[in-house]
Amino acid sequence: MIDKHSPMPIYYQIEEAIKERIDKGEWREGDMIPSEREFSEMYHISRMTVRQAVTNLVSDGYLIRQIGRGTFVARRKIQQKLFGLTSFTEDMKGRGMKPGTRLLDFRTVSASGPIAEQLQIPDGGEMYEIKRVRSADDLPMALEITYLSEDLVRGLTEEDVYGSLYGYVEKELGMTIGYATQELESSVAREAESRTLGIAEGAPLLLIKRFSYLEDETPLEIVYSAYRGDRYKFVVGMHRNRTDSNG
Amino acid sequence: MIDKHSPMPIYYQIEEAIKERIDKGEWREGDMIPSEREFSEMYHISRMTVRQAVTNLVSDGYLIRQIGRGTFVARRKIQQKLFGLTSFTEDMKGRGMKPGTRLLDFRTVSASGPIAEQLQIPDGGEMYEIKRVRSADDLPMALEITYLSEDLVRGLTEEDVYGSLYGYVEKELGMTIGYATQELESSVAREAESRTLGIAEGAPLLLIKRFSYLEDETPLEIVYSAYRGDRYKFVVGMHRNRTDSNG
DNA sequence: CAGTGGTCTAGACCACACG
DNA sequence: GTGTGGTCTAGACCACTGC
């Protein structure tokens, strides 16, 4: 089960093995899994290596550690996904809906102002501007305008933006997305939005502004979205920081 | 600087030392901090202990590791707080506003239905129901209804709910809050809400439903809030999961 | 090349939970 | 007392970066 000579790190192999047992239902929610020392003996590896695997799964929400008692399969594992940053495409698939895209506009424009600044594009640089209507199960769900530095994702084509931009950046360009900050506010649809989304004027809209960054903090994209208030709920899991109550 | 015989773990002391240097500006955004081996020699501790400190600070957003290059102070450290779950009181303070509370109702009611189920209160159990208007700089910001199991926070009084419930639970009861899931949706104010919040009927509202859990997954509270759309933006930082693109 | 973080070992002692 | 996770050691080899 564990290959010590695989290029895959041992701790990663253990993570996958544990997740598989949980997914298969071999270990159920609330069950105690083998102790770190048992894993260590089972696979003939050091306990610190086991701990690295378990620590990762704890922070991913799969496991719960309890001092003096043991390590347990987390309840509510459905909620694991809530903690991770996802693209529209991944979000909709996670909700069991079919994502779709209608491209309204795809162009490069010269960068300037706060958008250029946020994307760290120097004066005179170009950026992609992509306007899309995102749909779920063939009904309009959101209106999206995305900005990316042309320099960072040079060679982006219209075909690339019909699916997940995150998927493209990660799989085609081999970049690693780190995190995003998102601002959400409530608004009402004006004429233009109501027409594009097929809702009444004055109907509720959820506005989301997203700044995405790569792992090394390079700004990747800015996205302005307007989601239909009658079809979309934003769902997020948040952990309590160890340091919040102090500082 | 490091006391090996302190009851505080060494890795924690190192974390604090590093954070202090960052907060003081001794190490600035983008600066490389000493290598793990340097820390190890500096403090006469093993490198694995240093790594534990650095790993924690990386996941808290203070540091960035780069293979073969070094460890750097993260940019945008203002955004660190965005990733942590906060109470209303902490949230407003973080925005530089003065939080306030007007208590509309405080009572215990017999638990039943989906709320009792979510809070894991057995048939016949009681729960607190707390209705509050939360204000920022003395202007109404949100209408909140909170439910807690009476059994879990027995002895809660009216005075306890004028400030941060999270603070009370953590500091007075000594519990550790783990995480929460939150659902956000856009809506418009009806008559009752518009009167309580001092806004027009039909004005945008941001509705937030929150389920909080302790570290061991015990359900702590349910909160339904309605925030004024003209005064409040929900801000959140989200990390990309290692596993999102695969599974 | 030297230096960095990434992984891993084979132990150790501690505080805690439980019977 | 036994078993658990929490912390810590003093090394080791690897892949990667940058000069």
Side-chain angles (χ1 to χ4, degrees), chain B residues 138-177:
Chain B
D138 300 319
L139 284 174
M141 179 64 99
L143 179 59
E144 264 189 14
I145 306 179
T146 304
Y147 295 95
L148 298 132
S149 162
E150 193 197 23
D151 209 51
L152 194 62
V153 292
R154 192 171 293 285
L156 192 69
T157 67
E158 292 203 4
E159 288 85 61
D160 299 326
V161 302
Y162 273 94
S164 166
L165 258 176
Y166 278 14
Y168 175 78
V169 165
E170 288 174 331
K171 284 167 191 151
E172 302 301 316
L173 302 182
M175 295 169 166
T176 306
I177 294 168

Side-chain angles (χ1 to χ4, degrees), chain A:
Chain A
M1 189 73 86
I2 297 294
D3 178 2
K4 284 202 187 190
H5 302 90
S6 155
M8 288 299 215
I10 296 176
Y11 73 87
Y12 184 79
Q13 296 181 49
I14 297 178
E15 282 181 52
E16 293 302 309
I18 293 176
K19 282 200 281 191
E20 193 182 328
R21 278 181 169 79
I22 294 174
D23 291 339
K24 276 187 182 169
E26 211 168 317
W27 296 333
R28 301 189 184 181
E29 301 188 1
D31 284 0
M32 190 170 105
I33 69 168
S35 76
E36 295 171 356
R37 285 169 185 83
E38 282 179 297
F39 274 120
S40 164
E41 287 163 21
M42 241 193 310
Y43 295 127
H44 304 290
I45 55 177
S46 112
R47 191 181 147 213
M48 287 302 276
T49 303
V50 176
R51 275 187 70 76
Q52 185 169 358
V54 171
T55 300
N56 287 340
L57 291 179
V58 166
S59 59
D60 283 358
Y62 283 89
L63 300 176
I64 302 275
R65 277 208 267 237
Q66 290 188 34
I67 304 179
R69 301 222 313 127
T71 302
F72 302 82
V73 178
R75 292 195 178 76
R76 276 163 260 285
K77 71 190 166 92
I78 312 136
Q79 295 175 353
Q80 285 156 17
K81 302 252 170 196
L82 308 187
F83 291 87
L85 173 64
T86 57
S87 67
F88 178 86
T89 303
E90 293 161 349
D91 187 13
M92 289 307 125
K93 283 182 182 170
R95 293 163 191 251
M97 302 174 95
K98 188 189 73 174
T101 296
R102 182 158 66 90
L103 187 59
L104 297 182
D105 196 12
F106 178 95
R107 62 170 75 177
T108 61
V109 299
S110 76
S112 66
I115 295 179
E117 195 180 329
Q118 166 61 28
L119 292 177
Q120 292 177 10
I121 304 174
D123 274 355
E126 299 274 313
M127 59 187 185
Y128 292 108
E129 182 185 67
I130 305 158
K131 294 187 187 176
R132 298 182 287 184
V133 176
R134 313 303 299 259
S135 63
D137 288 347
D138 299 318
L139 285 173
M141 177 66 98
L143 179 59
E144 265 190 14
I145 305 179
T146 304
Y147 295 94
L148 299 132
S149 162
E150 192 197 23
D151 210 52
L152 193 62
V153 292
R154 193 171 291 286
L156 192 69
T157 67
E158 294 202 4
E159 288 87 58
D160 299 325
V161 301
Y162 274 95
S164 165
L165 256 177
Y166 277 13
Y168 175 79
V169 164
E170 288 174 331
K171 284 169 190 149
E172 301 303 315
L173 302 181
M175 294 169 167
T176 306
I177 293 167
Y179 66 95
T181 65
Q182 304 195 71
E183 291 183 19
L184 293 89
E185 61 183 311
S186 180
S187 181
V188 293
R190 290 166 303 176
E191 200 272 336
E193 293 143 346
S194 68
R195 199 153 24 85
T196 310
L197 293 173
I199 53 177
E201 276 188 63
L205 283 185
L206 188 63
L207 303 186
I208 305 182
K209 181 169 74 173
R210 167 146 90 181
F211 292 167
S212 305
Y213 301 86
L214 301 180
E215 204 173 26
D216 65 357
E217 296 196 316
T218 304
L220 171 64
E221 60 160 14
I222 301 177
V223 186
Y224 298 95
S225 338
Y227 282 80
R228 285 176 58 158
D230 59 338
R231 292 194 76 202
Y232 188 76
K233 282 184 192 177
F234 183 87
V235 184
V236 61
M238 297 180 75
H239 290 283
R240 183 77 170 161
N241 283 351
R242 294 169 298 153
T243 42
D244 267 349
S245 25
N246 311 325

